[in-house]
Amino acid sequence: MASGFPNENETTAAQFEAVALPFTDALYNKAFHLTRSPEDASDLVQETYLRAYRTFSNFSAGTNCKAWLFTILYSIFVNKYRREQREPDKVSIDDLEETFHRTLADGNWEADFTALANSELDWLGPEVNQALDKLPESFRSAVMLVDVEGLNYEEAAGVLNCPVGTLRSRLFRARKILFVELRDYARRMGFVRLPHV
C-alpha cells in the first residue's frame, strides 16, 4: 500500500536535480574548452552527471556543488579524453613570459588583468578563445576555474588535483600570458588603458 510519501530514490533524484542541474551550462562550457568539440563536450557532461548521480551520497550538502561537479568532469577528462586528444600547437611559455617582461614589465599588470577579467570580456568569444587555446591545458583550466567559474583557489586546486601553491603558480603565469595575448583586444574594447608597445 502506498504511503503517499516519496520513496528514497525519488527523494535522491529530486535533491540531485535541485543541487546539480543548475550547473549544466557551466559544465558544458568547461567541457568544451577541454575537448574543443561540441559532441565530445556533451558526452563529457553526460558522463559527469551519470557519475555524479551514482556517487551523490558522497556529496556533502552545503558544500560547493559546482566545484564537486568540476572535479568529476576533470577526472573523467584526464582519464579518458586527454589520452585520445592531441593538444594544438602551443606558444612557448618561456617566450611569452619573456615578451611579457619586455613589453609590460610595469607593476600594474595584475590590477589591469583583474580589470580585464571583471569587465564585459566575452570568455567564449573568438579573441579570448584563441588566447586560451595557446595555453597548456593545466594553465587554461586554472584560468577557467578561477577567473571564469569563480571557484576559490582551494576548490580549483581540488578540481585539478594539485596543491594550492601549484594552482597559484599556474594561474599567475597563465594570467601574464593571457594579458600579453589580449592586450591589443583589451585596448580596442576600452577594458583597460594599456601602454602602446
Side-chain angles (χ1 to χ4, degrees):
M1 184 164 115
S3 65
F5 293 105
N7 66 35
E8 187 176 335
N9 288 340
E10 290 171 344
T11 302
T12 300
Q15 288 172 338
F16 180 79
E17 287 177 14
V19 172
L21 290 187
F23 300 110
T24 302
D25 288 344
L27 286 174
Y28 178 82
N29 290 338
K30 175 65 175 161
F32 184 76
H33 274 281
L34 290 171
T35 64
R36 293 182 179 70
S37 157
E39 296 81 17
D40 288 344
S42 294
D43 290 347
L44 181 54
V45 170
Q46 183 176 8
E47 196 167 341
T48 299
Y49 273 121
L50 286 172
R51 186 176 298 180
Y53 184 74
R54 284 197 307 264
T55 61
F56 190 55
S57 59
N58 296 336
F59 175 70
S60 301
T63 60
N64 188 336
C65 186
K66 185 195 238 182
W68 179 68
L69 290 168
F70 277 145
T71 303
I72 295 169
L73 182 139
Y74 194 75
S75 174
I76 293 169
F77 172 74
V78 167
N79 292 327
K80 180 178 181 182
Y81 290 89
R82 186 193 276 175
R83 283 196 306 264
E84 301 167 2
Q85 300 205 351
R86 252 183 69 240
E87 286 280 328
D89 292 337
K90 301 289 180 226
V91 174
S92 161
I93 298 298
D94 294 333
D95 289 349
L96 280 172
E97 286 190 325
E98 184 179 323
T99 302
F100 169 82
H101 288 298
R102 230 180 19 251
T103 60
L104 298 171
D106 64 53
N108 296 324
W109 80 267
E110 274 192 281
D112 286 342
F113 180 84
T114 300
L116 177 61
N118 291 333
S119 69
E120 297 297 316
L121 182 66
D122 180 5
W123 284 99
L124 299 177
E127 293 87 356
V128 179
N129 259 321
Q130 189 175 9
L132 285 168
D133 283 347
K134 291 183 179 180
L135 295 174
E137 182 266 316
S138 60
F139 283 36
R140 186 171 58 248
S141 292
V143 170
M144 293 301 296
L145 292 171
V146 175
D147 292 326
V148 179
E149 298 301 337
L151 272 61
N152 65 38
Y153 290 161
E154 290 76 17
E155 292 166 342
V159 169
L160 299 175
N161 195 26
C162 67
V164 173
T166 301
L167 181 278
R168 285 178 185 270
S169 174
R170 289 176 185 171
L171 192 58
F172 180 78
R173 295 180 75 191
R175 285 173 173 169
K176 287 196 301 184
I177 294 162
L178 282 176
F179 194 66
V180 169
E181 289 294 306
L182 293 172
R183 68 181 183 259
D184 292 333
Y185 170 69
R187 188 186 306 122
R188 276 196 321 273
M189 300 302 291
F191 294 143
V192 293
R193 292 178 180 271
L194 298 172
H196 288 275
V197 293

